[in-house]
C-alpha cells in the first residue's frame, strides 16, 4: 500500500520531489479534514482489490487547496498476480465551486420564494380580502336598507371591480408574459429593471 511512483504532472502540481511523495509522503499534501476519509477509502479499496474513488483537497505548490477526484484501479502483473494500483487524479475545484454556487442560489431562490409568498399573502389580505369584506358589509346593509340599496349596490360593484383589478395585477406580476416570451433569465432581468 505504499506509493512507488508519481508522474511529472503530480510533482509539478504539488511542488514536491518524487522522494518526498514516495511511500506515504504524498499524504502530507492532503487537507487534514479529508485525510482519514481519503486514506480509509484507499485502504479499503486496496484490501478488497477493487477500484476506488475519492474526492479530497490537495495542497497545490502555491499553497492553495484544490479539490481532486482520485480514481484507483487495481492491476495484475504478467503472471496474473495482483501488482498494485494505478491511480489518476483530476482537479475538480471549479466543479465543486460551481456546485456550491448552485446550492447557494437554490437557498437564495427558496428564501426569495418564501418572501414572495409572504408578500402575496399580505397583498391579498391588504387589498382583496379587505375589499371583499367591505362588499359583504355593504351588501348586508343593502339587504335591510331599501332607501340606499341602489347606492350600496353600485358601491359594491365598484369595489368588486377594484378587487378584480387587484387580483389581475397580482396574477400578471406572478406570471408575467415577459418570462414566457423572453425566457426565465431574460424575462426576470427585464422585470427587475422594470
Amino acid at each position: 500500500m505504499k506509493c512507488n511512483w508519481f508522474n511529472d504532472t503530480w510533482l509539478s502540481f504539488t511542488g514536491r520531489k518524487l522522494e518526498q511523495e514516495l511511500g506515504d509522503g504524498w499524504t502530507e499534501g492532503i487537507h487534514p479534514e479529508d485525510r482519514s476519509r481519503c486514506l480509509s477509502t484507499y485502504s479499503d479499496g486496496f484490501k478488497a482489490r477493487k477500484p476506488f474513488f475519492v474526492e479530497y483537497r490537495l495542497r497545490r505548490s502555491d499553497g492553495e487547496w484544490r479539490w481532486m477526484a482520485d480514481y484507483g484501479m487495481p492491476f495484475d502483473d504478467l503472471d496474473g498476480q495482483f501488482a498494485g494500483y494505478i491511480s489518476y487524479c483530476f482537479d475538480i475545484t471549479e466543479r465543486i465551486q460551481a456546485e456550491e454556487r448552485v446550492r447557494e442560489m437554490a437557498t437564495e431562490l427558496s428564501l426569495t420564494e418564501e418572501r414572495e409568498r409572504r408578500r402575496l399573502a399580505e397583498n391579498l389580505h391588504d387589498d382583496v380580502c379587505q375589499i371583499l369584506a367591505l362588499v359583504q358589509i355593504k351588501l348586508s346593509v343593502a339587504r335591510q336598507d331599501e332607501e340606499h340599496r341602489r347606492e350600496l349596490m353600485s358601491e359594491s360593484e365598484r369595489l368588486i371591480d377594484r378587487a378584480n383589478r387587484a387580483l389581475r395585477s397580482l396574477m400578471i406580476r406572478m406570471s408575467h408574459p415577459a418570462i414566457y416570451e423572453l425566457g426565465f433569465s431574460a424575462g426576470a432581468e427585464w422585470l427587475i429593471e422594470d
Side-chain angles (χ1 to χ4, degrees):
M1 290 179 43
K2 305 291 182 190
C3 293
N4 61 7
W5 186 78
F6 289 87
N7 65 20
D8 290 337
T9 303
W10 175 278
L11 298 174
S12 175
F13 183 90
T14 61
R16 291 168 47 101
K17 298 196 179 312
L18 178 61
E19 298 76 32
Q20 294 174 293
E21 299 294 271
L22 295 177
D24 293 328
W26 68 279
T27 64
E28 294 172 16
I30 299 173
H31 194 283
E33 293 175 10
D34 302 336
R35 191 173 291 134
S36 69
R37 178 179 46 80
C38 178
L39 293 178
S40 174
T41 301
Y42 174 77
S43 175
D44 291 347
F46 204 97
K47 288 174 187 170
R49 297 188 178 162
K50 299 279 186 196
F52 68 82
F53 169 75
V54 63
E55 292 179 355
Y56 56 88
R57 289 165 286 181
L58 183 67
R59 188 176 35 248
R60 191 168 61 185
S61 61
D62 62 3
E64 182 181 342
W65 293 105
R66 303 291 290 182
W67 279 98
M68 304 302 286
D70 190 342
Y71 299 87
M73 299 294 294
F75 72 95
D76 296 338
D77 62 18
L78 295 175
D79 296 327
Q81 298 296 313
F82 174 71
Y85 271 79
I86 294 179
S87 181
Y88 54 99
C89 301
F90 296 98
D91 185 336
I92 58 167
T93 304
E94 283 76 22
R95 189 202 82 201
I96 297 290
Q97 290 169 343
E99 288 171 354
E100 180 60 28
R101 284 191 299 275
V102 167
R103 279 191 294 278
E104 289 168 1
M105 289 169 56
T107 299
E108 182 58 34
L109 180 60
S110 178
L111 293 171
T112 300
E113 286 174 346
E114 183 58 33
R115 284 191 298 266
E116 188 60 23
R117 274 194 289 275
R118 264 187 265 127
R119 187 182 68 76
L120 178 60
E122 289 169 4
N123 284 344
L124 284 171
H125 176 267
D126 294 348
D127 293 342
V128 179
C129 290
Q130 289 181 0
I131 292 169
L132 292 177
L134 188 56
V135 168
Q136 188 175 20
I137 291 167
K138 288 189 179 288
L139 290 175
S140 178
V141 171
R143 194 177 304 123
Q144 299 165 9
D145 186 352
E146 260 186 62
E147 184 181 329
H148 296 101
R149 184 171 291 156
R150 277 192 192 285
E151 180 185 332
L152 290 167
M153 295 298 280
S154 291
E155 287 176 21
S156 295
E157 285 175 348
R158 283 192 298 278
L159 287 169
I160 288 172
D161 184 55
R162 190 169 132 202
N164 193 12
R165 283 193 314 271
L167 277 174
R168 200 173 303 125
S169 174
L170 275 174
M171 288 168 45
I172 287 171
R173 280 186 277 162
M174 287 171 50
S175 63
H176 199 280
I179 290 177
Y180 298 109
E181 293 171 18
L182 303 174
F184 180 78
S185 294
E189 200 171 299
W190 183 85
L191 285 170
I192 290 168
E193 288 174 13
D194 188 47

